[in-house]
């Protein structure tokens, strides 16, 4: 809030007087912005939402609980854990890593155990040779969930991360029982809608 109002102040000040008169009420605008930011912060603290609320209510809630490497037969998978509560696991897309989710972790860690990891081949996880790394994504996710002893998991997948989460669910019926919900952002994972048959095909085409 202080940073934003300072920016507004510096932007508005040179134009606060035009031809010697206050043609635009920049002082009032600045005041209204400050008031709005203050009220928004108070509301966030009261409702326990957002990054500011998390910092004020939880103190060190946004401090990482722990981080580490999951040892796999042919690589190491880096992960970070923040917060407490029902678990949410975030799977990033191509070109990202666990840092892709920094804002989501800051928000949801007030109420959830948030886990973000870097797929194999994406630093700080191990680089792997060849072009078959995606084939192991789902098994890496399964191993991570087992390692952290997560139950009733919420999965959040973005782009390439959809491959990981969909395959995790399809490979083992036991995995389905352990997943409470699945969020697919800008991805259909490994599903090819062109191969769908039956009533679902028309619904997907309409969608």
């Amino acid at each position: 809030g202080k940073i934003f109002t300072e920016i507004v102040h510096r932007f508005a000040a040179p134009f606060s007087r035009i031809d010697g008169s206050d043609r635009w009420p920049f002082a009032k605008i600045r005041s209204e912005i400050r008031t709005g930011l203050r009220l928004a912060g108070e509301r966030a603290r009261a409702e326990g939402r957002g990054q500011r609320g998390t910092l004020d209510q939880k103190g060190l809630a946004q401090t990482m609980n722990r981080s580490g490497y999951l040892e796999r037969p042919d690589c190491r998978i880096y992960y970070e854990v923040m917060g407490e509560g029902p678990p949410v696991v975030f799977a990033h897309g191509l070109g990202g890593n666990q840092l892709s989710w920094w804002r989501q972790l800051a928000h949801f860690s007030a109420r959830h155990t948030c886990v973000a990891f870097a797929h194999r081949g994406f630093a700080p996880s191990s680089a792997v040779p060849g072009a078959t790394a995606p084939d192991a994504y789902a098994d890496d996710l399964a191993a991570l969930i087992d390692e952290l002893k997560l139950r009733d998991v919420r999965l959040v997948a973005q782009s390439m991360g959809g491959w990981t989460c969909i395959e995790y669910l399809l490979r083992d019926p036991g995995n389905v029982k352990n997943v409470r919900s699945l969020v697919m952002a800008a991805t259909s994972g490994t599903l090819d809608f062109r191969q769908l048959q039956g009533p679902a095909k028309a619904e997907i085409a309409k969608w």
Side-chain angles (χ1 to χ4, degrees):
K2 291 182 180 179
I3 295 175
F4 183 77
T5 52
E6 178 64 15
I7 291 172
V8 171
H9 173 76
R10 294 188 179 190
F11 173 79
F15 302 98
S16 58
R17 288 186 177 276
I18 301 176
D19 296 330
S21 63
D22 270 334
R23 293 179 57 186
W24 299 98
F26 285 105
K28 180 175 178 59
I29 292 172
R30 288 195 298 270
S31 176
E32 291 295 327
I33 290 173
R34 291 192 187 101
T35 300
L37 289 170
R38 177 178 57 79
L39 293 175
E42 292 175 356
R43 185 162 55 248
R45 288 192 293 274
E47 297 177 359
R49 295 201 309 258
Q51 185 172 351
R52 174 119 184 201
T54 298
L55 281 170
D56 290 345
Q57 293 186 19
K58 290 293 197 176
L60 297 179
Q62 291 193 59
T63 300
M64 192 186 308
N65 293 3
R66 61 183 168 127
S67 63
Y69 286 89
L70 171 70
E71 299 293 338
R72 300 288 287 143
D74 54 348
C75 72
R76 305 171 77 208
I77 304 297
Y78 178 78
Y79 66 89
E80 297 178 355
V81 182
M82 293 177 61
E84 295 182 0
V88 184
V89 179
F90 296 88
H92 67 82
L94 183 66
N97 64 7
Q98 83 286 348
L99 293 175
S100 300
W101 304 103
W102 68 275
R103 298 189 72 173
Q104 286 73 23
L105 266 62
H107 179 84
F108 289 104
S109 62
R111 300 179 181 178
H112 295 272
T113 297
C114 296
V115 180
F117 66 97
H119 287 94
R120 59 171 62 208
F122 293 82
S125 293
S126 301
V128 291
T132 60
D135 295 341
Y137 287 172
D139 292 336
D140 291 341
L141 176 59
L144 180 61
I145 289 174
D146 288 344
E147 173 72 14
L148 299 178
K149 297 179 173 58
L150 304 178
R151 298 292 179 266
D152 292 328
V153 180
R154 289 84 175 152
L155 297 177
V156 180
Q158 186 262 326
S159 191
M160 182 190 73
W163 306 354
T164 306
C165 294
I166 284 292
E167 286 301 310
Y168 170 76
L169 292 170
L170 293 178
R171 290 186 182 185
D172 186 348
N175 294 341
V176 177
K177 296 178 181 179
N178 193 36
V179 173
R180 177 64 61 88
S181 62
L182 171 65
V183 176
M184 300 283 281
T187 180
S188 59
T190 53
L191 299 178
D192 185 352
F193 292 143
R194 294 171 299 180
Q195 298 181 13
L196 287 176
Q197 301 297 326
K201 186 172 183 176
E203 290 298 320
I204 289 296
K206 181 179 178 181
W207 176 67

